[in-house]
Amino acid sequence: MRNFRRILRITLFVIFGLLLHYALPQKDVARITGTDTIRQDFSSFNRWFFAQADSGNVDGVNRDVLFITVQRKQTYLFGLIRGGDDVMVYRNEDTGWIWPPYFKFDTRDLQGEAQDLVSTAEDPKWVTITHYGWRNRFFTIFPNAIGIKQIDGPDYRPFPWFNIGFFIFLIIGILFIRAMWMQFRERTLDPIADKAGDRLDHVNADLAERRGRIRRWLDSWKSK
């Protein structure tokens, strides 16, 4: 039972960690090399990793998806350098009111900004691209770009203010919920458990007394 609970806790921790890794914003320092609009057919699996049609449009079996292609210089995860110097493709979709809650409605505007910032290796324009999600070439999954900001050069290092604030809020929330649970347990559950335990002890004592009476009655017949 203890091993089962340990495995369950580890599984829940891994799922929660993957969810945060997918949903929290990440920033890449990159140079935009092109933009595209591609008619995308979705499988039953990779549809989960795309958002929805632009706000106000109907989401069909397939639809046009905007893409932004970049040459990444550096990519940052929670403020730490994870890699870089590779090609990355981002989808550019509205999130609307669905998960994750970025409330993005400016897909077309962002695509226009990206087109204006397209540059060459000889005359580069460096930007930070804020995004969430994963890139998986086998399942045709792309991260979703949610913001573009032009910067002075490739050595710029963004600071993850939002992620730090989120984790501080998360820790405070967990501690608050834990304190509420401990208070609820102390004031409500423990008295009920103690009362149930006392009642069980009383029942056991009563049964023991009755068994003793029966035993004494049987012994009295044996003596005869």
Side-chain angles (χ1 to χ4, degrees):
M1 187 64 180
R2 181 178 299 177
N3 289 335
F4 173 76
R5 285 186 294 182
R6 186 176 300 170
I7 292 173
L8 180 62
R9 288 173 182 172
I10 293 174
T11 302
L12 291 176
F13 180 79
V14 170
I15 292 174
F16 186 65
L18 289 174
L19 180 64
L20 290 181
H21 184 269
Y22 180 85
L24 286 177
Q26 303 176 32
K27 291 182 181 291
D28 294 344
V29 174
R31 176 177 58 84
I32 299 175
T33 58
T35 60
D36 288 298
T37 303
I38 300 175
R39 173 66 67 170
Q40 186 74 37
D41 295 313
F42 305 105
S43 69
S44 57
F45 177 78
N46 77 348
R47 175 178 289 274
W48 290 93
F49 297 92
F50 282 80
Q52 60 182 10
D54 292 349
S55 297
N57 293 337
V58 177
D59 196 8
V61 177
N62 53 40
R63 56 182 167 82
D64 290 339
V65 179
L66 304 179
F67 290 95
I68 301 171
T69 306
V70 307
Q71 181 70 37
R72 288 193 303 186
K73 181 64 178 177
Q74 292 175 344
T75 178
Y76 293 90
L77 177 62
F78 307 137
L80 303 175
I81 298 177
R82 187 181 60 182
D85 289 327
D86 60 348
V87 174
M88 174 57 70
V89 180
Y90 307 91
R91 58 189 167 94
N92 179 18
E93 296 183 286
D94 283 351
T95 60
W97 304 100
I98 65 173
W99 175 266
Y102 285 100
F103 309 113
K104 178 188 172 189
F105 298 96
D106 61 345
T107 290
R108 297 290 175 176
D109 296 339
L110 190 65
Q111 194 76 358
E113 292 180 35
Q115 291 170 351
D116 186 55
L117 291 170
V118 171
S119 64
T120 63
E122 292 74 21
D123 186 20
K125 296 179 182 179
W126 296 101
V127 299
T128 57
I129 299 182
T130 305
H131 64 89
Y132 73 89
W134 300 325
R135 174 73 173 106
N136 187 292
R137 293 170 176 82
F138 182 79
F139 293 109
T140 315
I141 297 171
F142 304 91
N144 190 11
I146 56 177
I148 298 174
K149 178 183 177 182
Q150 188 170 7
I151 56 177
D152 295 332
D155 297 326
Y156 175 79
R157 183 166 182 168
F159 192 79
W161 291 106
F162 178 86
N163 290 346
I164 291 175
F166 173 83
F167 279 108
I168 291 174
F169 178 80
L170 180 64
I171 293 171
I172 292 174
I174 291 174
L175 293 176
F176 179 74
I177 293 173
R178 184 177 182 274
M180 289 182 61
W181 166 252
M182 296 298 292
Q183 224 176 40
F184 174 76
R185 180 176 177 179
E186 181 181 351
R187 294 181 178 180
T188 305
L189 297 183
D190 288 348
I192 293 175
D194 293 340
K195 187 176 181 179
D198 292 341
R199 182 63 179 171
L200 183 62
D201 292 341
H202 179 73
V203 171
N204 289 335
D206 186 56
L207 289 175
E209 184 179 353
R210 292 187 180 184
R211 283 196 298 267
R213 289 178 182 177
I214 294 173
R215 189 178 296 110
R216 287 193 297 271
W217 181 74
L218 293 174
D219 290 342
S220 67
W221 280 95
K222 289 180 182 178
S223 60
K224 296 179 180 180

